[in-house]
Amino acid sequence: MKRILVTGMSGVGKSSVIAEIAARGFRAVDLDDAAYSEWVASADGTGPSPLHPGQEWVWREDRVARLLATEGVDVLFVSGCAPNQGKFRDRFDHIVLLSAPAAVMVHRLTSRDTNTYGQHPEEVARSLEFKETVEPILRSVADVEVDTSVDLQQVVASVLGLAFDGSASTNATPAEGTT
């Protein structure tokens, strides 16, 4: 079974992409869901949200490991971004980094109604900080980067193309450090 991780900062469209992939009939799981993630004490005393001071949102490693060990489907798509996702890096056949300009991220964070993260100004500021500090790390391990400021269907086509024929559409570029 092929496993594809769709990752990126808050507000780039991970949940929208994974929901659309699921709607097309593929096995697709949003790891940002509470079934797969939880708030835990932060190692450095900070975190992504002032509503959860001193905590960070991490993947529930036992549950994610079980999910990634699932057999019976040709491709499993998962989405999410967490400080402990590096522990699973070798379990993925492809890592797709979704990115968007800061202004797009801010608009999506402040106007979405499917997730409360981003409604607080400090959460938006923290997401923009992560764009500068965490996104380059994700880029260094990603196979491809997809700009999500284009139509959702184009983004999904890029992710599916990578999963099924090893290519991506025109809005995808090899991530920095890959060829």
Side-chain angles (χ1 to χ4, degrees):
M1 175 174 64
K2 193 179 284 187
R3 293 165 186 84
I4 310 293
L5 171 62
V6 177
T7 192
M9 301 298 92
S10 294
V12 297
K14 298 182 303 292
S15 295
S16 296
V17 168
I18 209 73
E20 179 62 23
I21 290 172
R24 292 182 183 198
F26 298 101
R27 177 82 164 114
V29 178
D30 187 342
L31 297 180
D32 285 337
D33 184 271
Y36 292 98
S37 293
E38 64 184 336
W39 289 105
V40 299
S42 170
D44 65 3
T46 65
S49 175
L51 305 177
H52 298 275
Q55 295 185 315
E56 56 191 356
W57 188 243
V58 300
W59 289 351
R60 296 174 185 249
E61 294 177 14
D62 58 333
R63 294 178 184 185
V64 172
R66 276 195 305 275
L67 174 66
L68 295 177
T70 301
E71 295 296 332
V73 295
D74 290 335
V75 181
L76 170 65
F77 296 91
V78 298
S79 68
C81 188
N84 61 338
Q85 76 184 46
K87 294 180 179 182
F88 297 95
R89 180 178 166 192
D90 64 340
R91 305 280 305 271
F92 296 107
D93 296 287
H94 295 290
I95 298 174
V96 179
L97 172 62
L98 301 184
S99 64
V104 172
M105 289 174 58
V106 170
H107 173 73
R108 289 177 179 166
L109 286 168
T110 58
S111 63
R112 67 184 176 183
D113 57 8
T114 58
N115 183 332
T116 60
Y117 186 82
Q119 302 303 305
H120 193 285
E122 288 181 43
E123 291 172 338
V124 174
R126 192 77 165 134
S127 292
L128 294 174
E129 178 184 328
F130 288 153
K131 180 171 181 53
E132 299 301 318
T133 59
V134 176
E135 187 174 84
I137 296 167
L138 297 176
R139 187 173 289 117
S140 73
V141 299
D143 298 303
V144 68
E145 180 172 355
V146 179
D147 178 353
T148 64
S149 62
V150 299
D151 179 71
L152 175 63
Q153 301 307 317
Q154 287 180 270
V155 175
V156 170
S158 291
V159 175
L160 293 175
L162 180 66
F164 292 107
D165 65 21
S167 67
S169 67
T170 57
N171 67 317
T173 58
E176 187 175 290
T178 63
T179 55

